[in-house]
Amino acid sequence: MAHEVDFYDDEPAIVDALAAYVLEGWARHETVVLVATEAHRRDTDAALAAAGASPVAARAAGHYLTLDAAETLRTFVVDGVPEPEAFATQVGGLVEGALGRGRPVRVFGEMVVLLWQDGNVTGALAVESLWNALSVRLPFTLLCAYPTQVLGESWLSDLRRLCDLHSQLQPPTSYAGTVLSRDDPHGMQSRVFLPAPQSVPAVRRFVTGVLQTWDEEHQLAREGHGDAEGIISDTLLACSEMATNAVLHARSPFLLSLNRSDNGVLVAVEDAAGGSARRQASPPTALGGRGLAIVQSVADRWGCEPLAHGKVVWAEVAPHPTPVAGTRAL
């Protein structure tokens, strides 16, 4: 079973994603089941109609089933705890009924995000696991969706478990154009990123925005004491390598933080994976394995500290010395 999770930035983004998901299913002659909020069901129908499709006709033909997420939750969640047998009966029965129409089935489920946003993260993860268990005996594809707001409000360990319960992860469209929020450009800047390849260029854009803002304030390098352009390029390189390690090796959502220090810029990447980050001795022909060596080469100092539920890799990058007039770099 394909169990995909889509992280979205705002309401228009999830409505567009849902409309595309439904249209793709109909194009493949599938029965589509939406278990969503009333607002998302309404707005998706409007988007489908705007695309020239007929949700009314699809419902009449039995190819489009829509249910309310909150009402469906109440059929198998008791005192905040999902009951596996009730889930198998209620949700499993729904999928079985859709399969009985003779077509492949694709499902969108929004019940998990309602639990997560209500603070019942344990319940949400339990429902994700129940979906996976149901897929062992029934063939269907499933899409879940979470607003990116949950990334900054949740423990990294919970986010890692959420990602691990899905076979595919779709990062938000904002990763293609991440910019710095300028609400408080003076203090520490941080952002949570997903364990996806798209996170690395998103990190570079985010870090570039932060450092350019600080440089505009003439606070990256004091006059006569260093080169701001050099510290920007070195910090960007260190963050890029640390983010790549989090994606490829930790395979965990990670919190990237930047702060100014007395000596320059202090960067840190916290993830929810155990173990430690160590510099590897890579042969000249190796295609990878040099990330921490690169970090060490551009940082004045760096390290890795264990945490209760993961680790944090940090580095301090200082400005390059300003060349003395009449000399040249060797």
Side-chain angles (χ1 to χ4, degrees), residues 73 76-84 87 111-131 146 150 153-155 157-162 165-166 309:
L73 266 178
F76 66 89
V77 174
V78 179
D79 295 328
V81 180
E83 297 190 343
F87 180 90
M111 298 179 291
V112 286
V113 74
L114 295 183
L115 291 169
W116 196 292
Q117 290 179 322
D118 198 38
N120 188 357
V121 173
T122 300
L125 294 175
V127 173
E128 296 282 16
S129 295
L130 290 173
W131 277 117
Y146 291 79
V150 307
E153 298 175 350
S154 305
W155 293 103
S157 55
D158 290 333
L159 293 174
R160 187 189 187 195
R161 176 64 176 155
L162 173 63
L165 286 168
H166 293 85
H309 300 285

Side-chain angles (χ1 to χ4, degrees), residues 54-322:
S54 175
V56 175
R59 283 192 186 90
H63 303 156
Y64 186 39
L65 309 177
T66 57
L67 296 91
D68 184 77
E71 291 179 2
T72 306
L73 266 178
R74 286 192 286 269
T75 66
F76 66 89
V77 174
V78 179
D79 295 328
V81 180
E83 297 190 343
E85 291 185 2
F87 180 90
T89 299
Q90 299 296 329
V91 179
L94 170 66
V95 176
E96 281 185 299
L99 287 167
R101 300 173 186 271
R103 291 181 169 216
V105 171
R106 64 170 52 201
V107 181
F108 170 74
E110 200 167 21
M111 298 179 291
V112 286
V113 74
L114 295 183
L115 291 169
W116 196 292
Q117 290 179 322
D118 198 38
N120 188 357
V121 173
T122 300
L125 294 175
V127 173
E128 296 282 16
S129 295
L130 290 173
W131 277 117
N132 286 342
L134 184 63
S135 72
V136 174
R137 66 181 183 89
L138 296 176
F140 63 96
T141 59
L142 175 64
L143 172 66
C144 301
Y146 291 79
T148 52
Q149 179 183 0
V150 307
L151 297 178
E153 298 175 350
S154 305
W155 293 103
L156 289 176
S157 55
D158 290 333
L159 293 174
R160 187 189 187 195
R161 176 64 176 155
L162 173 63
C163 293
D164 288 346
L165 286 168
H166 293 85
S167 59
Q168 299 177 46
L169 186 157
Q170 180 61 46
T173 56
S174 62
Y175 274 23
T178 303
V179 295
L180 167 66
S181 171
R182 304 179 77 96
D183 293 339
D184 180 20
H186 305 286
M188 183 183 74
Q189 297 288 335
S190 63
R191 185 161 297 180
V192 174
F193 292 89
L194 294 163
Q198 298 92 327
S199 291
V200 178
V203 162
R204 287 197 287 263
R205 284 186 287 270
F206 173 69
V207 172
T208 298
V210 172
L211 298 181
Q212 287 179 345
T213 297
W214 288 350
D215 188 39
E216 290 170 3
E217 299 170 350
H218 306 290
Q219 294 179 347
L220 272 184
R222 297 173 182 173
E223 184 176 355
H225 292 275
D227 172 23
E229 183 176 345
I231 195 174
I232 289 176
S233 62
D234 284 352
T235 304
L236 186 59
L237 182 56
C239 289
S240 180
E241 294 299 328
M242 293 159 71
T244 299
N245 280 348
V247 171
L248 294 182
H249 303 300
R251 298 180 182 178
S252 165
F254 59 95
L255 173 68
L256 176 101
S257 304
L258 298 101
N259 204 357
R260 286 187 289 260
S261 68
D262 292 338
N263 296 322
V265 176
L266 184 64
V267 301
V269 170
E270 177 186 342
D271 63 51
S276 180
R278 295 184 178 90
R279 177 179 173 178
Q280 299 179 1
S282 300
T285 56
L287 297 179
R290 300 185 181 87
L292 291 179
I294 294 173
V295 172
Q296 185 178 34
S297 70
V298 299
D300 272 22
R301 57 194 186 102
W302 75 280
C304 177
E305 307 294 339
L307 302 173
H309 300 285
K311 64 179 177 296
V312 59
V313 181
W314 59 270
E316 187 174 44
V317 182
H320 294 179
T322 303

Side-chain angles (χ1 to χ4, degrees), residues 8 11-12 14-22 26 32-50 53-56 58-59 64-74 94 107-111 113-114 145:
Y8 61 92
E11 290 302 301
I14 184 55
V15 171
D16 288 346
L18 284 179
Y21 185 71
V22 173
W26 290 344
V32 182
V33 180
L34 253 63
V35 187
T37 64
E38 190 278 331
H40 286 167
R41 298 195 312 275
R42 180 194 64 234
D43 293 345
T44 299
D45 278 6
L48 292 170
S54 175
V56 175
R59 283 192 186 90
Y64 186 39
L65 309 177
T66 57
L67 296 91
D68 184 77
E71 291 179 2
T72 306
L73 266 178
R74 286 192 286 269
L94 170 66
V107 181
F108 170 74
E110 200 167 21
M111 298 179 291
V113 74
L114 295 183

